[in-house]
Amino acid sequence: MGKTIGIDLGTTNSCMAFIEGGEPVVIPNSEGGRTTPSVVAFSKSGERMVGQVAKRQAVTNAQRTISSIKREMGSEYRATIDGKHYTPQEISAMILTKLKIDAEAYLGESVTDAVITVPAYFTDAQRQATKDAGKIAGLNVKRILNEPTAAALAYGIDKEEPQKVMVYDLGGGTFDVSILDINADVIEVLATAGNNRLGGDDFDQCVTEYLIKEFKKEHKVDLSKDPAAMQRVREAAEKAKIELSGISETSISLPFITADKNGPLHMETTLTRAKFDELTAHLVEATMGPVKQAMQDSGLSTAQLSKVLMVGGSSRIPAVQQAVKRFTGKDPFKGVNPDECVAMGAAIQGGVMEGDVKSLLLLDVTPMSLGIETVGNVFAKIIERNTTLPIQQSQIFTTAANFQTSVEVNVLQGENPAASRNKSLGKFRLDGIRRAMRGVPQIEVTFSIDANGIVNVSAKDMGTGREQHITIVGSSNMSQEDIDRATREAQQYLLEDAKNKRQSQENNEIEQLIYRAERAAGKMGIGDKLRMTEMIRKVKRANKDQDTAKLKQACEDLERALKASGAEDQDAQGGVK
Ligand code: AMP
């Protein structure tokens, strides 16, 4: 059995780790990076790129480059490339596939099992979508683990004395906060809260908008209509933001960003940390609502917290750290690597499940309440938020009209008392209810949330004892059929990609052989030269005709003749002298 790897599938970057000798170790990607940009791109010829190579070409290929796909997980969004529509699951699967292949190359064995992390505040649809992405990438997703919980696992694995910690996790596109109780062999999440659409990307956006506005003021040119210019401005905005975490003023220089009738225009400006803080103060403030709510739900006071762990790249922003310190009265703890600890925690969870790591009980919670819509747009909660997982609750349903034989149930996730203001996980219809006066039939519907935070529903007619299988079909999620098709396509792509790579390597070898032969022929007498030229011609012809058998034979003949001629040896000796 292969290793279970832990994957932090991030908005901006992804990271993977495995357990070696009982300890989590980061797996570098094939380029040697410890994190991989979560970017997918398609070249003009349709070639697929993932990671650093995709990120690097984003400016020149903005419309065929997909970043921050995590923000669209569980939504109806589709990336359209060359007329083909890709779901967020399929794009995420491309990132996961690269990670899987790189991990296999690094570990020297096949990787089939993974623990993948998600923001604690991800909804059921987003979790399901993440699990499906894993499946499409050929991974058996053993657990969907909450990111702050994973970070706490990485931090808490070797802690002997009990402690209560806050994990503040501000990544590229999501924000979560969790309060945990860490003991030697039990890690219990007391409360969690967050915002699925708040992260470093929003800070970049504020700076981008500011730069565009200033540029327009100065040059009367609106850059927002130019995708390539926008990509450059966005990258410069992120770079400036990151620099401002370390210094108090930075310069932004984008030569030839556009042109007007007088010639090229350049963006040359400076941004101070004070201005950056002013532009983004509302975002920092937006994280404090969930922080207060999680604290309140945990039943603890800030004085009871031993540590505040800062996770996610955006937690490095000084204004963020100051806001957290102001609220908790504690200096953020710097002993965890914000970019790697989530993947390490995921690897630990994989290790616990496989018995490679000491037994550790992880008690996580559901971030949102689960319930159904009842008459008058009322949200009836069945499982309250912050309930420890896994959990199962049942509710008896009946009919509202005489002789009604079916009821429709709208399953909701959220906190708003108005049903319509919560996220609908989907609706299901209970059929086959025995004809009876209203209120008589009794159908027990069981709602459960598993350890992955994924919702399941089943129903039982109490009169007949008959069980009914219920599938909630969320409108944004892929059907089983679609997942199977995408999985097949992903495998097919891998086969074709391997074939193309092999082909291009073979072409390379043939070209080299021809080059060597032509060089050698140049030093031969006329007779040998003619023979050699004829053999080269045969190789070229067979290659052009794509006649594999002839090509193989022609290459072997040429290689043999080349060796026998000794012309290359003279060449090599010449080189040494
Ligand atoms: P993550 O999803 O955890 O990889 O976080 C990525 C986000 O963190 C991106 O928006 C980055 O721009 C941001 N980030 C990384 N390093 C820094 C830094 N030193 N200061 C501010 N933001 C950063």
Side-chain angles (χ1 to χ4, degrees):
M1 191 178 61
K3 287 200 163 14
T4 299
I5 60 167
I7 300 179
D8 169 8
L9 183 60
T11 310
T12 320
N13 294 300
S14 295
C15 183
M16 51 184 171
F18 77 116
I19 296 293
E20 189 175 43
E23 297 287 329
V25 178
V26 168
I27 304 174
N29 61 24
S30 58
E31 297 83 38
R34 292 171 73 82
T35 60
T36 301
S38 305
V39 183
V40 174
F42 297 81
S43 72
K44 301 271 184 306
S45 62
E47 193 193 345
R48 191 191 295 172
M49 292 165 269
V50 181
Q52 194 58 46
V53 55
K55 186 176 175 181
R56 215 177 303 123
Q57 56 80 71
V59 170
T60 50
N61 189 27
Q63 275 152 325
R64 297 168 71 85
T65 302
I66 305 151
S67 313
S68 298
I69 194 65
K70 187 171 174 179
R71 294 188 87 136
E72 304 299 343
M73 288 299 259
S75 80
E76 314 258 343
Y77 171 87
R78 298 289 179 267
T80 304
I81 307 283
D82 298 329
K84 186 167 163 51
H85 308 297
Y86 295 94
T87 60
Q89 292 90 315
E90 287 171 287
I91 300 293
S92 297
M94 293 173 193
I95 301 168
L96 290 171
T97 300
K98 172 180 168 53
L99 298 179
K100 178 178 185 290
I101 292 172
D102 287 1
E104 286 175 341
Y106 181 81
L107 298 171
E109 57 183 283
S110 82
V111 169
T112 49
D113 295 340
V115 171
I116 304 181
T117 60
V118 294
Y121 217 61
F122 250 22
T123 61
D124 178 73
Q126 292 169 308
R127 286 164 194 272
Q128 192 67 57
T130 306
K131 209 167 173 207
D132 293 344
K135 203 163 176 193
I136 295 168
L139 288 167
N140 167 32
V141 182
K142 291 177 84 175
R143 177 66 65 85
I144 292 288
L145 182 65
N146 290 336
E147 286 161 11
T149 311
L153 260 179
Y155 163 78
I157 186 88
D158 51 0
K159 300 290 175 291
E160 287 306 324
E161 79 260 31
Q163 46 190 302
K164 314 253 190 299
V165 303
M166 173 190 283
V167 181
Y168 178 103
D169 181 359
L170 188 59
T174 56
F175 170 64
D176 283 306
V177 53
S178 291
I179 315 294
L180 297 102
D181 190 355
I182 298 180
N183 288 287
D185 46 13
V186 181
I187 294 191
E188 184 179 3
V189 181
L190 302 176
T192 194
N195 182 339
N196 284 335
R197 300 191 74 85
L198 174 63
D201 287 357
D202 300 294
F203 288 73
D204 300 347
Q205 186 60 24
C206 287
V207 177
T208 304
E209 280 168 14
Y210 169 74
L211 294 175
I212 300 287
K213 206 172 86 199
E214 291 298 298
F215 191 83
K216 198 170 172 188
K217 239 194 263 169
E218 196 180 332
H219 300 286
K220 313 272 173 299
V221 178
D222 184 4
L223 292 177
S224 65
K225 307 272 176 314
D226 177 348
M230 280 303 286
Q231 183 64 29
R232 284 180 72 193
V233 178
R234 263 196 293 272
E235 283 185 6
E238 184 187 12
K239 190 162 161 275
K241 170 192 77 174
I242 291 175
E243 284 171 2
L244 288 173
S245 290
I247 50 178
S248 57
E249 183 172 319
T250 183
S251 57
I252 293 154
S253 170
L254 294 173
F256 301 96
I257 188 77
T258 188
D260 66 4
K261 58 184 184 321
N262 300 319
L265 294 172
H266 317 292
M267 183 182 279
E268 293 290 344
T269 186
T270 56
L271 185 65
T272 62
R273 190 188 286 170
K275 185 69 198 174
F276 173 75
D277 287 350
E278 182 193 316
L279 293 170
T280 57
H282 64 289
L283 298 174
V284 178
E285 187 50 37
T287 68
M288 296 320 286
V291 167
K292 287 175 193 156
Q293 188 200 301
M295 221 44 243
Q296 195 181 348
D297 287 354
S298 74
L300 300 178
S301 69
T302 51
Q304 287 171 283
L305 293 175
S306 311
K307 290 230 159 41
V308 179
L309 310 186
M310 302 294 276
V311 181
S314 307
S315 70
R316 294 193 178 98
I317 296 172
V320 165
Q321 302 201 347
Q322 284 150 18
V324 174
K325 184 175 177 185
R326 256 196 317 277
F327 179 74
T328 59
K330 289 192 174 52
D331 275 317
F333 178 68
K334 303 261 169 62
V336 292
N337 180 331
D339 301 324
E340 297 178 356
C341 63
V342 170
M344 288 188 170
I348 293 171
Q349 177 62 23
V352 170
M353 292 172 95
E354 257 168 28
D356 289 345
V357 173
K358 71 167 184 168
S359 150
L360 190 71
L361 182 60
L362 184 63
L363 298 171
D364 216 325
V365 296
T366 175
M368 278 169 258
S369 301
L370 179 77
I372 54 158
E373 178 178 351
T374 55
V375 188
N377 191 28
V378 174
F379 177 35
K381 287 183 186 172
I382 294 170
I383 299 174
E384 289 280 344
R385 73 164 186 259
N386 289 322
T387 302
T388 302
L389 300 180
I391 173 80
Q392 184 169 308
Q393 296 276 1
S394 297
Q395 176 127 341
I396 304 286
F397 285 88
T398 186
T399 47
N402 289 339
F403 311 120
Q404 190 179 338
T405 55
S406 72
V407 289
E408 191 178 69
V409 182
N410 185 10
V411 182
L412 304 167
Q413 214 170 22
E415 306 308 323
N416 204 297
S420 55
R421 307 200 63 165
N422 294 290
K423 168 92 186 154
S424 172
L425 301 186
K427 294 177 180 171
F428 64 85
R429 179 164 282 283
L430 275 178
D431 293 315
I433 300 172
R434 218 167 352 141
R435 285 167 64 81
M437 300 303 281
R438 68 181 173 153
V440 173
Q442 293 220 311
I443 302 119
E444 184 187 56
V445 182
T446 304
F447 297 82
S448 62
I449 309 178
D450 65 16
N452 300 308
I454 291 177
V455 176
N456 293 289
V457 180
S458 63
K460 188 175 176 184
D461 186 337
M462 302 295 273
T464 60
R466 210 179 54 205
E467 295 252 5
Q468 216 171 312
H469 177 71
I470 295 171
T471 323
I472 303 185
V473 186
S475 57
S476 59
N477 276 352
M478 293 170 80
S479 65
Q480 190 56 46
E481 217 172 281
D482 286 343
I483 295 168
D484 291 344
R485 176 199 44 79
T487 310
R488 278 195 306 275
E489 281 179 11
Q491 283 163 356
Q492 184 63 27
Y493 171 81
L494 283 183
L495 290 176
E496 273 164 27
D497 191 45
K499 194 172 143 211
N500 288 343
K501 284 201 178 114
R502 228 179 12 250
Q503 182 79 52
S504 97
Q505 183 168 348
E506 276 168 20
N507 281 343
N508 213 5
E509 282 168 11
I510 293 166
E511 271 171 31
Q512 272 182 7
L513 178 63
I514 293 172
Y515 171 73
R516 282 164 49 212
E518 283 173 345
R519 256 176 81 105
K523 299 187 203 101
M524 291 173 182
I526 185 75
D528 287 343
K529 186 174 179 171
L530 278 175
R531 266 190 299 280
M532 186 62 66
T533 310
E534 175 55 18
M535 290 176 118
I536 294 171
R537 198 192 58 77
K538 277 190 180 160
V539 170
K540 285 183 176 171
R541 160 100 308 178
N543 197 22
K544 190 160 173 252
D545 295 347
Q546 297 199 338
D547 186 331
T548 323
K550 266 198 187 146
L551 180 62
K552 188 164 176 276
Q553 189 60 53
C555 284
E556 280 171 9
D557 291 348
L558 182 57
E559 184 73 63
R560 210 175 305 116
L562 198 53
K563 284 218 174 89
S565 74
E568 278 196 304
D569 296 341
Q570 288 167 18
D571 204 30
Q573 281 163 15
V576 172
K577 275 183 211 154

